[in-house]
């Protein structure tokens, strides 16, 4: 069971939100930042807010965790991968990164030469075991801690035990269900779904989540 989770970009909107939900679920969380002081402050603030076991610092906090969630913008992904490369050897690294941009029409997926953000991560972090998840889990929904989540979370990966471990982690979050959704090469589908969800939110003034209907995983 994954019990200690590091979050790269844990100072950001998604990182703080998923960190809070995991901490409330009893998971130990370490928020990693490019700036150690910012990471420590974010960790202390989150610990106070949600009462769980949360710390923070620079990439060295990743040395003590069981798995790492990548929660940085696609624009900053390469730089962050260089910073964490020495701290994630033979570790599960979960990419939550959505390569997307906005123009006058709205959000749209950015084409990644490697095929997906997760595939890029796997290419750059050759020694890590890359899994892909969380793309459709909105930071705003995560941050409303008084409300349970209501989200299915597709999980992609090429090593069955690693996918099962991440599904198990997601299942610990109240209202979330992890779903093993296929190999890593399908990650681009979930990464590209996020602009669609944002478009729906804009059109209907909603905060939608994603769900597989008629799926029993019990
Ligand atoms: N927001 C959501 O609802 C959501 C949902 C699912 C998935 N995601 C994905 O999660 C990732 C993070 O999203 P977010 O909304 O949390 O982003 P964010 O708040 O803009 O950034 C997260 C953290 O990444 C670091 N960062 C920001 N810009 C950077 C840059 N140019 N270069 C390097 N590092 C940078 C910062 O941490 P430090 O300065 O402390 O290092 C920042 O606090 C994205 O890939 C997004 O697609 C987001």
């Amino acid at each position: 069971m994954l019990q200690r989770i590091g979050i790269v970009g844990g100072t950001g909107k998604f990182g703080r939100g998923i960190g809070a939900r995991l901490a409330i679920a009893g998971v130990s969380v370490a928020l990693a930042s490019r700036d150690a002081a910012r990471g420590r402050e974010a960790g202390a603030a989150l610990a106070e807010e949600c009462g769980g076991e949360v710390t923070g610092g620079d990439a060295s906090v990743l040395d003590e965790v069981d798995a790492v969630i990548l929660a940085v913008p696609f624009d900053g992904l390469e730089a962050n991968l260089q910073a964490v490369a020495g701290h994630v050897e033979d570790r599960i690294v979960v990419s939550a990164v959505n390569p997307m941009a906005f123009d006058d029409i709205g959000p749209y997926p950015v084409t990644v030469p490697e095929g997906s953000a997760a595939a890029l991560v796997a290419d750059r972090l050759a020694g890590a075991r890359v899994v892909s998840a969380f793309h459709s889990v909105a930071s705003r929904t995560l941050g409303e801690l008084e409300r349970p989540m209501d989200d299915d979370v597709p999980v992609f990966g090429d090593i069955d035990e690693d996918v099962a471990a991440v599904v198990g982690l997601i299942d610990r979050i109240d209202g979330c269900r992890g779903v093993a959704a296929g190999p890593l090469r399908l990650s681009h589908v979930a990464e590209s779904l996020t602009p669609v969800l944002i478009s729906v939110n804009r059109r209907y003034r909603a905060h939608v989540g994603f769900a597989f209907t008629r799926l029993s995983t019990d």
Side-chain angles (χ1 to χ4, degrees), residues 9 11-15 33-35 38 71-76 80 96-98 134-139:
T11 56
K13 297 180 285 293
F14 174 74
S33 167
R34 290 168 295 176
D35 180 283
R38 189 160 57 239
V72 295
F74 183 67
D75 280 352
N80 274 285
V97 177
N98 294 310
F134 296 117
H135 305 91
S136 53
V137 184
S139 58

Side-chain angles (χ1 to χ4, degrees), residues 42-144:
L46 201 60
E48 195 170 323
E49 183 187 347
C50 62
E53 191 181 316
V54 189
T55 58
D58 61 15
S60 64
V61 302
L62 305 177
D63 295 336
E64 306 300 324
V65 303
D66 303 322
V68 173
I69 298 173
L70 290 176
V72 295
F74 183 67
D75 280 352
L77 182 58
E78 293 270 15
N80 274 285
L81 292 178
Q82 285 173 21
V84 306
H87 302 277
V88 296
E89 191 72 15
D90 201 29
R91 205 81 52 80
I92 294 178
V93 173
V94 187
S95 174
V97 177
N98 294 310
M100 55 182 282
F102 292 81
D103 63 12
D104 291 346
I105 301 173
Y108 64 95
V110 169
T111 303
V112 183
E114 288 78 1
S116 68
L120 186 155
V121 173
D123 181 73
R124 303 301 191 269
L125 300 180
R129 305 187 328 250
V130 178
V131 173
S132 177
F134 296 117
H135 305 91
S136 53
V137 184
S139 58
R140 181 173 177 134
T141 314
L142 287 166
E144 294 175 349

